Amino acid sequence: MTGARDLLEPAARRLEAAGVASPRHDAETLLAYLLGLPRSRVGLGGPDLTPDQERRFDSLITRRAAREPLQHLTGSAPFRYLEILVGPGVFIPRPETEVVAGWAIDVLAELAHESEEPPVAVDLCTGSGAVAASIAGEVPGVRVYAVELDPAAHAWAERNLALTTVTLVRGDAATAFPELDGTVDVVVANPPYIPLEAYESVEREVRDHDPALALWSGTDGLDAIRMVERSASRLLRPGGHVVVEHADVQGESAPAVFTGTGRWERVRDHLDLAGRNRFVTARRVER
């Protein structure tokens, strides 16, 4: 049998040679997944592997070196306080989106504290359901609605939201939940925002494995954000809030989608934890 430490270094070198951005981290994560141990344990050495475990680890490293997403290999992705089930057919939730969800959660928690009525949130383009699940789990009493158009992604959302109070539907975010028009407190969305012309610059893990419907959004990357602006203006009550994730290069163009309509006030752009422009917020004008 071979010790875990003896396998990690050559595995990390293979991943580095294949262009994987975090080779040591990914090698440790895959070994920990295989052995059912915390990553910190295998990083310190870990137990010896049986020949069968060695073969399975080699297979995982080979797949990761071919740029199959790490989360597809382990079957889940961490998001705030949750482990979200993911795999082929659904966009993998990213750490950047945790900040977007956090902004919505803070607003909803304040509303829940101030009012006897439960706040209402709608998650457009829910994908895996990560944002909706986090809101439902972190804001007591909140009513959460989520919509996803893609059938494969919707199936993943069903799994992740099965034990929550979230109302999930399969449908078009542009027309979803007409029964809620004018009553929603917060609309949150992580829509597609990559311009079609940026195809070659996108990481292989994303370009080859995340669903196209979750990535591309017209020639300037703003088509879906424009749709979210229209849907949010329909759904929100006067004074309600919208929060929308965007690409780091859209720190001016994404807010402009909102400022140009006359339907919004307090339009602000926000940074993620890496200091990059990441999401826009706005308040529905009170009339």
Side-chain angles (χ1 to χ4, degrees):
M1 293 193 292
T2 305
R5 182 172 297 177
D6 297 326
L7 294 173
L8 283 173
E9 286 302 328
R13 287 196 296 270
R14 284 176 62 191
L15 296 182
E16 183 177 20
V20 172
S22 50
R24 177 74 186 201
H25 169 276
D26 288 15
E28 290 180 357
T29 298
L30 290 171
L31 187 56
Y33 164 72
L34 177 64
L35 298 176
L37 296 171
R39 186 169 69 87
S40 58
R41 172 80 184 279
V42 302
L44 295 174
D48 292 341
L49 274 69
T50 66
D52 178 62
Q53 288 173 327
E54 285 188 55
R55 286 190 293 270
R56 289 163 60 196
F57 181 59
D58 180 74
S59 175
L60 288 170
I61 293 298
T62 297
R63 292 170 65 186
R64 185 68 187 102
R67 307 299 289 275
E68 190 170 342
L70 177 69
Q71 297 86 348
H72 283 193
L73 299 176
T74 63
S76 68
F79 190 85
R80 291 182 67 85
Y81 304 104
L82 303 173
E83 279 291 324
I84 300 297
L85 302 175
V86 296
V90 70
F91 185 80
I92 298 168
R94 268 62 170 183
E96 295 86 351
T97 308
E98 295 185 30
V99 184
V100 180
W103 193 94
I105 286 166
D106 289 345
V107 171
L108 289 161
E110 185 175 350
L111 291 171
H113 178 72
E114 293 175 349
S115 174
E116 295 182 0
E117 292 294 320
V120 179
V122 171
D123 180 18
L124 301 177
C125 313
T126 195
S128 66
V131 172
S134 293
I135 292 173
E138 295 183 48
V139 183
V142 67
R143 291 164 51 203
V144 185
Y145 299 81
V147 58
E148 174 55 47
L149 178 62
D150 184 85
H154 179 266
W156 284 104
E158 281 187 315
R159 296 175 65 185
N160 285 310
L161 298 173
L163 300 180
T164 74
T165 58
V166 176
T167 299
L168 171 69
V169 301
R170 184 181 165 212
D172 190 339
T175 57
F177 306 118
E179 69 278 13
L180 297 178
D181 284 359
T183 67
V184 176
D185 295 295
V186 174
V187 169
V188 58
N190 179 17
Y193 49 70
I194 304 176
L196 291 170
E197 63 184 21
Y199 181 86
E200 292 299 332
S201 66
V202 176
E203 291 180 342
R204 284 176 55 193
E205 286 89 341
V206 176
R207 186 180 68 202
D208 297 344
H209 294 278
D210 278 327
L213 194 61
L215 300 179
W216 316 111
S217 188
T219 56
D220 61 0
L222 297 171
D223 282 1
I225 293 178
R226 294 186 184 97
M227 176 276 295
V228 169
E229 184 277 325
R230 292 190 296 270
S231 288
S233 69
R234 166 178 60 84
L235 288 163
L236 287 171
R237 61 169 175 80
H241 299 269
V242 62
V243 49
V244 188
E245 183 170 333
H246 59 69
D248 54 5
V249 297
Q250 295 168 335
E252 294 183 2
S253 58
V257 170
F258 292 84
T259 56
T261 67
R263 292 191 282 258
W264 306 94
E265 60 186 7
R266 302 183 193 176
V267 180
R268 302 284 185 274
D269 207 60
H270 304 260
L271 306 180
D272 61 21
L273 295 177
R276 296 170 296 199
N277 293 94
R278 183 56 57 194
F279 64 99
V280 59
T281 62
R283 185 174 184 267
R284 187 74 169 91
V285 169
E286 298 194 47
R287 297 191 186 279

